[in-house]
């Protein structure tokens, strides 16, 4: 009997964590699958590559269309969606404090040296208007 006790204990020590880890992984996969199946048009999502966008179409079983910018729609595999993201909603309190901070920063900024002013003015108004590139504000993932 003593000869069988050690191998059985060793088997239990190895087998129990493996079984528990497998159960946890199956639960995570089921939750991910449920999230991907529940995606609907209008949802904000983040892909596995870190791209944020709004779901535009979910008519296909394997792919979805994500609008990444106004008028720019791309097609992605459903499996590429990592999570649903809640849109960032700024409250009036946050907006007021942001305005106060930017006003303080602008007044505290040192004046530009005279040698830099002509370089900044060398860009004509026409060049500014014909430039098609626009910088979008950064999206926050909601980490606190």
């Amino acid at each position: 009997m003593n000869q069988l006790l050690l191998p059985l204990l060793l088997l239990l020590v190895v087998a129990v964590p493996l079984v528990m880890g497998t159960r946890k992984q199956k639960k995570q996969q089921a939750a991910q699958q449920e999230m991907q199946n529940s995606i609907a048009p209008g949802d904000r999502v983040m892909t596995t590559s870190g791209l944020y966008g709004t779901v535009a179409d979910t008519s296909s079983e394997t792919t979805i269309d994500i609008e990444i910018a106004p008028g720019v729609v791309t097609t992605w595999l459903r499996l590429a969606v990592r999570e649903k993201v809640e849109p960032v909603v700024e409250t009036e309190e946050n907006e007021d404090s942001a305005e106060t901070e930017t006003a303080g920063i602008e007044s505290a900024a040192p004046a530009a040296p005279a040698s830099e002013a002509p370089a900044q003015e060398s860009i004509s108004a026409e060049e500014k208007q014909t430039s098609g590139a626009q910088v979008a504000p950064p999206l926050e993932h909601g980490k606190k």
Side-chain angles (χ1 to χ4, degrees):
M1 181 70 177
N2 280 340
Q3 295 174 352
L4 289 176
L5 187 59
L6 184 60
L8 285 176
L9 285 175
L10 186 59
L11 182 65
L12 276 174
V13 168
V14 172
V16 170
L18 286 175
V19 170
M20 298 303 279
T22 303
R23 289 182 60 203
K24 183 178 178 182
Q25 187 178 12
K26 284 183 181 180
K27 286 180 183 179
Q28 288 176 342
Q29 286 176 343
Q32 185 74 11
Q33 185 69 33
E34 176 63 30
M35 184 274 306
Q36 289 172 348
N37 290 335
S38 69
I39 294 173
D43 289 343
R44 281 287 285 161
V45 295
M46 182 178 78
T47 65
T48 54
S49 61
L51 181 81
Y52 290 90
T54 305
V55 177
D57 182 31
T58 60
S59 59
S60 174
E61 290 183 21
T62 59
T63 62
I64 60 172
D65 290 339
I66 299 177
E67 184 175 19
I68 57 175
V72 180
V73 179
T74 57
T75 303
W76 292 76
L77 287 173
R78 278 185 186 266
L79 298 176
V81 175
R82 180 176 179 202
E83 63 184 276
K84 286 185 182 181
V85 179
E86 296 298 321
V88 177
V89 179
E90 291 190 21
T91 61
E92 290 180 20
E93 184 178 300
N94 290 344
E95 291 174 2
D96 291 341
S97 64
E99 289 175 7
T100 306
E101 289 174 9
T102 55
I105 291 171
E106 289 172 0
S107 63
S115 61
E116 290 182 15
Q120 292 175 350
E121 294 175 7
S122 64
I123 299 174
S124 68
E126 289 179 16
E127 289 178 25
K128 288 181 183 178
Q129 291 176 354
T130 58
S131 174
Q134 296 179 352
V135 177
L139 293 175
E140 294 296 324
H141 180 15
K143 294 182 180 176
K144 295 179 182 180

